Amino acid sequence: CVHGALHKLASAPGLFSAAQIFHHPELRLRPRFLNDSLRFYGARPPPSTGHPPGTHRAPTGHGARGTGLRPPVWPPAPQPRCCVLAAAWRTPLDPKKTVQLPFLRPGQPPRRVPTMTSAKYPVASFTDSRLHVQVGRLDLNGGLSLVVLMPRGPLEPLETLERALDPTTFLALLRRAARPPPRATALSLPRLRLDLSLDVVTLVHDM
């Protein structure tokens, strides 16, 4: 239980931790997480108000009642809406069906890469006529999903598509992608590994 481990760490000498978790107002938290937060820390995570860094304050009564943690803080960095540590396919892809297929690169010759394939993989999809893309949602475990945007036309204007994906447009695509049910679809998806390295020492020091 990650909450139990954090609760033990809170009493370690020389270790200081934030006493409150703030989340994006549109992020839906699972009841189990909310109940564990209340049981272990005596507080429920409130939604972020969007105030500038350093000015965020929790309402009276929110905080670390009996946890020995510090008062709420707001790190001086752009806040992510969600952080995915690990996820697994809800419907696993067969490793034996991973084959070498050409991966198209704008302005460069195709390159053969390991590609996961399935003749009937459950994919929820729709076409956005304004952005000229096909959007597909592949379900992962834990209520997560992978959303893929595939241009329906030449690959050269990818920069135009990226510029069009402002936060409002992108959020609308994600909401729309959550609605259609999965259907059996012929799928070819390059094998992915997504990594993000972040030096938290400076952030924690500034906090």
Side-chain angles (χ1 to χ4, degrees):
C1 174
V2 64
H3 294 286
L6 289 175
H7 195 71
K8 292 179 180 179
L9 284 174
S11 60
L15 179 67
F16 299 95
S17 302
Q20 189 72 56
I21 296 175
F22 298 97
H23 64 87
H24 192 274
E26 296 178 359
L27 183 65
R28 292 177 294 179
L29 301 180
R30 292 176 176 270
R32 179 180 176 183
F33 177 85
L34 294 173
N35 292 335
D36 283 348
S37 176
L38 184 63
R39 180 160 62 98
F40 283 98
Y41 309 115
R44 288 177 179 268
S48 165
T49 63
H51 291 168
T55 64
H56 202 293
R57 293 293 180 270
T60 303
H62 277 289
R65 291 189 290 269
T67 63
L69 303 183
R70 297 186 63 184
V73 293
W74 189 252
Q79 296 305 298
R81 297 186 179 186
C82 181
C83 180
V84 179
L85 299 181
W89 299 107
R90 176 176 293 182
T91 303
L93 288 145
D94 187 353
K96 296 180 180 179
K97 294 183 179 179
T98 297
V99 297
Q100 296 285 331
L101 291 178
F103 181 78
L104 302 182
R105 300 180 295 170
Q108 300 183 50
R111 180 177 179 179
R112 298 182 71 83
V113 300
T115 304
M116 303 177 288
T117 64
S118 175
K120 296 181 179 181
Y121 194 85
V123 179
S125 64
F126 66 92
T127 300
D128 188 292
S129 57
R130 186 176 70 87
L131 296 176
H132 303 289
V133 295
Q134 185 174 6
V135 181
R137 188 192 81 238
L138 289 73
D139 288 333
L140 308 174
N141 285 333
L144 303 173
S145 60
L146 173 67
V147 177
V148 179
L149 275 64
M150 185 174 69
R152 296 182 61 85
L155 297 180
E156 283 71 17
L158 284 178
E159 294 82 2
T160 304
L161 172 60
E162 291 173 354
R163 287 194 297 268
L165 290 174
D166 56 79
T168 301
T169 301
F170 187 63
L171 183 59
L173 281 178
L174 294 181
R175 286 174 171 167
R176 188 177 173 187
R179 291 197 293 264
R183 297 182 300 174
T185 305
L187 175 70
S188 296
L189 186 68
R191 196 167 64 191
L192 305 174
R193 174 167 178 165
L194 306 178
D195 290 321
L196 174 64
S197 297
L198 178 65
D199 183 4
V200 300
V201 173
T202 302
L203 294 178
V204 173
H205 181 270
D206 290 341
M207 289 166 58

